[in-house]
Amino acid sequence: DVKVTQSSRYLVKRTGEKVFLECVQDMDHENMFWYRQDPGLGLRLIYFSYDVKMKEKGDIPEGYSVSREKKERFSLILESASTNQTSMYLCASSWASFDEQYFGPGTRLTVT
Amino acid sequence: QKEVEQDPGPLSVPEGAIVSLNCTYSNSAFQYFMWYRQYSRKGPELLMYTYSSGNKEDGRFTAQVDKSSKYISLFIRDSQPSDSATYLCAMSAAGAQKLVFGQGTRLTINP
């Protein structure tokens, strides 16, 4: 079974803090994705990566950066957290970029 | 206009009813069609996966794709309270960099 894990289920941070969200997958997938999910807005793609050290901007990259130093690990970084980044963050991975994605359990981030 | 449209609901039906969930799309290049189920405070999980047109059945669930109308459906027969979740459609074209998701429909099955 494919397993995607995320470092925290719940996280509370203060405005201006640097926040790291980590995602690890165990199926040797090439592609990894970071989404945020908000009521009424659905899933929105922040960044994705199709290979180690490669990254592509998604639909809402502003205020975020990513790092992929190893194939199995994809990190999302909030350089200076703001209250409008309070959200559910979901990581996913897939064999091919257009193929089914396997999601992690999500991290609910609250920025106060 | 969004590339994929999905009615967000909420949709509430009695236990045992047949549920129909739908998505429309505008990109005729889409060939891969998926339905995800997401329980509250959990990540989405793949429920059904269909390539191109036609029907696919898995237990109480049936996925239909009508490419001529750019319309996909998920039917749930004999619905159960455990089917209460948000259902998201997703689709992509061959070689695309990513999936395109619908907004999700929140479904509640009442005992």
Side-chain angles (χ1 to χ4, degrees):
Chain A
D1 261 2
V2 175
K3 193 166 183 181
V4 180
T5 57
Q6 295 184 229
S7 49
S8 305
R9 290 302 306 276
Y10 299 94
L11 208 53
V12 180
K13 295 292 182 181
R14 294 192 182 274
T15 302
E17 278 193 85
K18 191 168 186 175
V19 181
F20 292 87
L21 302 181
E22 298 221 312
C23 174
V24 178
Q25 50 94 3
D26 66 358
M27 279 300 291
D28 203 35
H29 283 169
E30 300 286 341
N31 300 274
M32 297 188 74
F33 306 82
W34 273 108
Y35 296 89
R36 64 177 284 177
Q37 187 175 36
D38 302 286
L41 296 176
L43 280 173
R44 291 184 290 168
L45 182 63
I46 304 171
Y47 268 97
F48 61 101
S49 168
Y50 53 88
D51 201 353
V52 175
K53 296 192 184 296
M54 304 302 290
K55 60 185 179 184
E56 293 282 345
K57 292 180 180 179
D59 301 317
I60 52 162
E62 296 79 18
Y64 303 93
S65 62
V66 290
S67 172
R68 194 166 179 202
E69 296 296 320
K70 293 185 178 182
K71 191 174 187 179
E72 67 271 18
R73 190 179 297 269
F74 192 35
S75 300
L76 180 70
I77 303 154
L78 288 65
E79 296 289 343
S80 177
S82 64
T83 55
N84 63 10
Q85 292 178 310
T86 291
S87 186
M88 171 72 131
Y89 288 88
L90 289 159
C91 175
S93 70
S94 67
W95 287 110
S97 57
F98 56 87
D99 207 356
E100 64 179 288
Q101 293 181 8
Y102 297 83
F103 284 84
T107 295
R108 183 162 294 279
L109 172 68
T110 302
V111 183
T112 61
Chain B
Q1 186 186 0
K2 290 182 182 178
E3 213 169 359
V4 176
E5 299 275 2
Q6 183 178 9
D7 187 340
L11 182 61
S12 182
V13 301
E15 183 176 355
I18 297 175
V19 176
S20 172
L21 303 170
N22 311 294
C23 289
T24 59
Y25 62 94
S26 57
N27 189 344
S28 58
F30 284 155
Q31 294 180 283
Y32 303 92
F33 303 94
M34 298 153 217
W35 285 96
Y36 285 83
R37 179 176 60 196
Q38 184 178 21
Y39 291 116
S40 182
R41 290 186 289 277
K42 298 283 178 67
E45 56 179 347
L46 184 70
L47 189 60
M48 299 288 279
Y49 188 167
T50 310
Y51 172 71
S52 195
S53 282
N55 292 4
K56 184 173 183 178
E57 190 173 318
D58 184 1
R60 297 184 294 108
F61 298 89
T62 300
Q64 285 187 352
V65 175
D66 182 348
K67 290 191 75 179
S68 62
S69 301
K70 298 191 183 69
Y71 189 88
I72 69 169
S73 301
L74 177 71
F75 297 96
I76 307 173
R77 290 183 300 281
D78 188 24
S79 56
Q80 304 294 311
S82 59
D83 296 327
S84 297
T86 296
Y87 290 80
L88 300 104
C89 63
M91 49 197 80
S92 65
Q97 285 190 313
K98 56 186 180 179
L99 300 183
V100 182
F101 285 87
Q103 191 176 337
T105 300
R106 188 172 176 183
L107 173 67
T108 301
I109 309 297
N110 301 302

